[in-house]
Amino acid sequence: MTVFLTDADVRAAFDWADAIAALRSAYAAPPDETRFPARTMARGDGLWLRTLSGVPGDGGPMGAKLIAASLQHRRASYLIPLFDQESVELTALLDGHSITGFRTAATSALAADLLAPAGPLRVGVIGSGFEAQNHVRAMAAVRTPSSVTVFSPNPASRARFIRELADLGLPLAGAESPEEAIDGVDLVICAARSRDEQPTLREAPAGVTIVSIGSTLPEQRELATEVIARADVIVADMVAEVAEDTGDLIAARKAGVNLMGKLVSLADVVSGRVSGRPTDDPDAVVIYKSVGSAAQDLAVAAMCVRRAADLSLGTELPVTISPVSK
């Protein structure tokens, strides 16, 4: 049987705590780079098709996420197929639109929970859209933010952010500048693309943990070179791709910033093989930088499929794609 989950099904089945637990299990599996190869990008005239694939080490479904995008029309489609590791049968197809946002925020929450100081967190958010809101919801599932301050250039966007998150019951406030939003915080969430590809975060307060998700391609910028240089540790979901394919680290390297010894993998932090935050320096600055990975997509997609079955969500497809003997 192959089940299809629409975006509405995914949203109905999704749960932050279960997603973070699934990601913790996925990243705690023994490391094996061959299970999650680098993403590929096919480019055309204003078009691109990105593929992220993987075979989870925890026995969960193997699969891929395909992203088809048109730059001209500013739209994208997401598809996630899942295959059983034992039978190699196609067990599920999912609209991956919401999963992309959910898995990014859930992985950031997992990382921030491990990297930020213990206890309630004062949170500063740069960005007010879908990703920014998801990150606050995800953080609230693992910690209790003592305050959340948001900056977005548009006052109406800041107001909408506060209105949309009112159900969390958290102290929410708007800021007139990025500097005001991050003043005195423990955790900075960068979840906004600058229109002119200039960094949106230009300073790093002492002792802060920074979550950066908005620079995933060479032409994109989010963190100023000074922020990268100030960081004591940079935790990456995909170390090679963060180092080689993100505009922030490319710019830092060109400026002479030595990244050797700073970059560690999220999997090593989750498993306890390395410590993400230096314990002997309360002023240490730690960055979690994400480009996204199939490990995240597959863990969250599989969790949604399991919960959808319990909730009687989804549509059984009238056809079966069965494996063939070789």
Side-chain angles (χ1 to χ4, degrees):
M1 182 187 77
T2 302
V3 64
F4 175 66
L5 299 186
T6 66
D7 189 61
D9 293 331
V10 167
R11 287 175 173 272
F14 182 79
D15 179 81
W16 286 113
D18 284 355
I20 294 167
L23 287 161
R24 192 182 299 272
S25 174
Y27 275 103
D32 184 348
E33 293 183 358
T34 62
R35 289 185 177 274
F36 295 100
R39 59 187 172 176
T40 62
M41 179 87 82
R43 296 180 183 265
D45 295 332
L47 301 168
W48 53 258
L49 179 66
R50 183 185 296 180
T51 304
L52 298 84
S53 61
V55 181
D58 63 358
M62 60 183 177
K65 183 173 74 174
L66 305 176
I67 312 169
S70 168
L71 302 181
Q72 176 183 356
H73 298 292
R74 299 179 62 85
R75 62 179 60 173
S77 294
Y78 303 79
L79 177 66
I80 299 176
L82 297 179
F83 299 85
D84 182 83
Q85 285 203 31
E86 183 174 349
S87 68
V88 299
E89 292 182 4
L90 178 69
T91 57
L93 286 172
L94 298 88
D95 182 326
H97 170 68
S98 290
I99 284 178
T100 300
F102 288 148
R103 58 82 151 151
T104 301
T107 310
S108 292
L110 171 63
D113 188 37
L114 295 169
L115 299 174
L121 299 173
R122 295 163 295 177
V123 181
V125 185
I126 299 178
S128 59
F130 174 74
E131 289 279 18
Q133 292 176 32
N134 273 347
H135 272 69
V136 174
R137 292 190 179 279
M139 282 306 309
V142 292
R143 296 285 190 97
T144 302
S146 58
S147 65
V148 178
T149 306
V150 60
F151 168 73
S152 179
N154 187 339
S157 297
R158 299 196 295 266
R160 183 178 63 251
F161 176 94
I162 292 171
R163 186 170 60 251
E164 291 289 337
L165 295 177
D167 62 292
L168 293 177
L170 300 174
L172 300 162
E176 298 292 329
S177 68
E179 293 76 19
E180 182 184 347
I182 68 172
D183 183 37
V185 304
D186 308 295
L187 175 68
V188 175
I189 297 171
C190 294
R193 288 277 310 286
S194 60
R195 289 188 177 90
D196 56 1
E197 293 301 350
Q198 296 299 311
T200 55
L201 184 68
R202 296 187 172 277
E203 60 181 88
V208 77
T209 299
I210 298 168
V211 168
S212 170
I213 66 162
S215 167
T216 63
L217 296 172
E219 60 267 27
Q220 295 173 342
R221 294 297 309 278
E222 183 168 62
L223 306 181
T225 295
E226 293 79 6
V227 175
I228 301 295
R230 175 67 178 83
D232 296 89
V233 180
I234 301 174
V235 179
D237 54 357
M238 300 287 283
V239 172
E241 292 184 37
V242 166
E244 302 297 332
D245 295 341
T246 64
D248 293 338
L249 269 66
I250 291 172
R253 196 164 51 248
K254 288 181 178 178
V257 177
N258 184 5
L259 300 175
M260 292 296 294
K262 286 191 177 190
L263 275 166
V264 301
S265 75
L266 177 60
D268 283 345
V269 174
V270 172
S271 66
R273 290 186 289 270
V274 302
S275 175
R277 171 167 289 280
T279 57
D280 57 349
D281 184 3
D283 292 335
V285 171
V286 178
I287 296 172
Y288 166 64
K289 188 145 187 65
S290 170
V291 293
S293 77
Q296 300 161 19
D297 291 308
L298 299 183
V300 173
M303 181 276 297
C304 286
V305 171
R306 291 193 298 270
R307 284 181 53 85
D310 293 339
L311 297 169
S312 299
L313 297 170
T315 302
E316 184 177 348
L317 297 182
V319 295
T320 299
I321 300 177
S322 300
V324 296
S325 300
K326 292 291 189 180

